[in-house]
Amino acid sequence: MSTRLPQLDAITGAPLIGTWASSLLYMAELHQAVYYFSNFKQDNWKLKSYVAVAFTIDTISVVADYACVYLYTITHAGSLVYLTKQNWAVPLHVISTACVAFLVQSFLAFLYWRFTKNTIIICFLSILILATFGGAVFSGLTVVLFPAFKDRNKVWISGIFYIVIQVSADLIIAGAYVREFMKAKSVFRGQRQVNNMLNRLVLHTIQTGTATALIAMLALIVFLIDDKTNIPVGIMYTSGRVYVLSMLINLNIREFSGRAQNARTTSGQRETVRIAHGTTYNFTTEFYPSEPDGTSSGSVKSSVLLPTLRATASIPETQLPEIEMVPADAKQDPEV
């Protein structure tokens, strides 16, 4: 039996560097979480609970990452037997990150459905999201049963399947959002404030969607090149942080999308875009379900993250629409 230590750069070095990058992202995530819970107290308790669950699970994933490195470098430092295996923190990281990805992808898919009511795309996305979650959990359980690096071949099929499906889901979600935003921009042509907000949403969607996909693809490529190291694990350490950040930024961006600075208000800002030839679009910057206002009749008004565009009549394609921005609560004179 060989008494030579394995290459520590690949076994312990990669996870260590991964925790450094993960720590930086977790600080940004913590800042966004504190900002959300401090400034959007009027949001529905179900939404706040959903965010809290995602943040808590991702925190567990961060702790698992630190534990993995500590066990390798401190508790079992120099142990040949231990360094040839994946400790319990590795499958915990895989499963907890899968839970976070499932929650965030479901959150974004639900908002897309609220915006478009496109049942076909949502059904397809739901299949991808469930398949991603199932593949990740199966991969994590396989590592539990076969922790040795020499048995990494047993996780090849489920691992590759899980990462490819996850990348596909992320890119399709991002592409679907960008498509709807671009369609909205064509409707609000010439409206600088609205188009600036849509430009920020497009940029944010592309950045977050491609970031999670890029991390997963990079980890997959490294895994295919050499499956006997912890380098893919170190790369994936940042994945959960990016997912939760994308959800929190989607929530917090409301402050920068025309929402009143006073976070206690529940009405938000609403505008009606009245278009010539009989078409009316309602545009609102209040995006999420709010608690009932004490002065209201008791009904709860719900809206979505994305601008709500509802047409009451079709626009003739041969003539450009003329757009007029008027407050929704303003009394409108009947048009002749």
Side-chain angles (χ1 to χ4, degrees):
M1 180 177 178
S2 175
T3 59
R4 184 180 178 182
L5 286 173
Q7 187 180 4
L8 295 181
D9 291 337
I11 300 299
T12 59
L16 177 62
I17 295 174
T19 58
W20 296 344
S22 176
S23 298
L24 293 174
L25 290 173
Y26 186 74
M27 288 301 100
E29 178 185 334
L30 182 61
H31 171 74
Q32 291 290 333
V34 170
Y35 184 89
Y36 169 72
F37 287 108
S38 299
N39 291 275
F40 295 96
K41 298 178 181 179
Q42 79 288 346
D43 278 354
N44 189 288
W45 68 269
K46 296 179 182 179
L47 175 61
K48 290 187 287 187
S49 299
Y50 196 89
V51 174
V53 168
F55 179 77
T56 301
I57 296 176
D58 194 50
T59 301
I60 294 173
S61 180
V62 172
V63 174
D65 300 344
Y66 293 145
C68 177
V69 174
Y70 189 89
L71 290 171
Y72 275 128
T73 59
I74 304 298
T75 306
H76 299 279
S79 173
L80 281 175
V81 176
Y82 198 83
L83 290 174
T84 59
K85 299 187 300 183
Q86 301 163 95
N87 59 42
W88 58 265
V90 174
L92 177 58
H93 159 78
V94 173
I95 294 175
S96 59
T97 301
C99 293
V100 169
F102 174 80
L103 290 172
V104 175
Q105 288 175 337
S106 300
F107 169 80
L108 295 174
F110 174 73
L111 291 180
Y112 180 78
W113 178 79
R114 287 281 300 273
F115 181 43
T116 64
K117 304 296 182 182
N118 192 326
T119 306
I120 296 177
I121 292 182
I122 291 303
C123 288
F124 181 64
L125 283 175
S126 299
I127 294 172
L128 291 180
I129 293 170
L130 289 172
T132 299
F133 180 73
V137 172
F138 185 84
S139 298
L141 294 178
T142 302
V143 174
V144 172
L145 297 175
F146 304 98
F149 284 112
K150 64 181 181 63
D151 293 328
R152 274 276 183 90
N153 60 308
K154 298 183 183 300
V155 80
W156 261 63
I157 295 177
S158 61
I160 294 173
F161 171 83
Y162 140 59
I163 292 181
V164 170
I165 298 299
Q166 175 183 309
V167 169
S168 301
D170 288 338
L171 293 179
I172 291 174
I173 291 172
Y177 270 88
V178 169
R179 178 175 176 269
E180 296 302 325
F181 288 143
M182 298 307 293
K183 287 169 61 177
K185 285 186 65 176
S186 66
V187 172
F188 293 102
R189 187 181 301 129
Q191 301 299 322
R192 180 177 300 178
Q193 182 179 0
V194 177
N195 277 278
N196 286 342
M197 184 202 69
L198 291 172
N199 286 334
R200 288 196 295 271
L201 290 172
V202 168
L203 180 61
H204 164 67
T205 302
I206 293 175
Q207 288 175 337
T208 54
T210 55
T212 52
L214 181 62
I215 291 170
M217 284 304 299
L218 182 59
L220 176 60
I221 292 171
V222 174
F223 178 76
L224 293 176
I225 294 173
D226 187 357
D227 63 354
K228 300 298 188 294
T229 71
N230 272 335
I231 296 177
V233 175
I235 294 173
M236 291 294 289
Y237 272 1
T238 58
S239 181
R241 309 321 70 84
V242 176
Y243 272 116
V244 178
L245 271 172
S246 68
M247 180 169 64
L248 288 170
I249 293 174
N250 263 303
L251 290 162
N252 292 337
I253 202 173
R254 290 175 290 174
E255 184 73 22
F256 305 104
S257 301
R259 189 184 179 93
Q261 291 297 318
N262 185 359
R264 297 178 182 176
T265 62
T266 58
S267 58
Q269 293 182 354
R270 181 183 294 270
E271 291 177 321
T272 297
V273 181
R274 190 171 55 200
I275 301 178
H277 319 301
T279 301
T280 301
Y281 286 93
N282 291 323
F283 177 79
T284 176
T285 55
E286 184 188 9
F287 304 124
Y288 288 92
S290 301
E291 300 291 350
D293 192 297
T295 59
S296 65
S297 59
S299 61
V300 181
K301 180 173 59 180
S302 297
S303 50
V304 296
L305 167 69
L306 308 175
T308 302
L309 305 174
R310 292 191 178 92
T312 57
S314 60
I315 306 175
E317 296 182 357
T318 57
Q319 194 168 2
L320 292 175
E322 300 174 4
I323 301 177
E324 175 189 359
M325 304 293 288
V326 296
D329 54 353
K331 183 176 180 181
Q332 300 181 10
D333 296 328
E335 296 183 7
V336 179

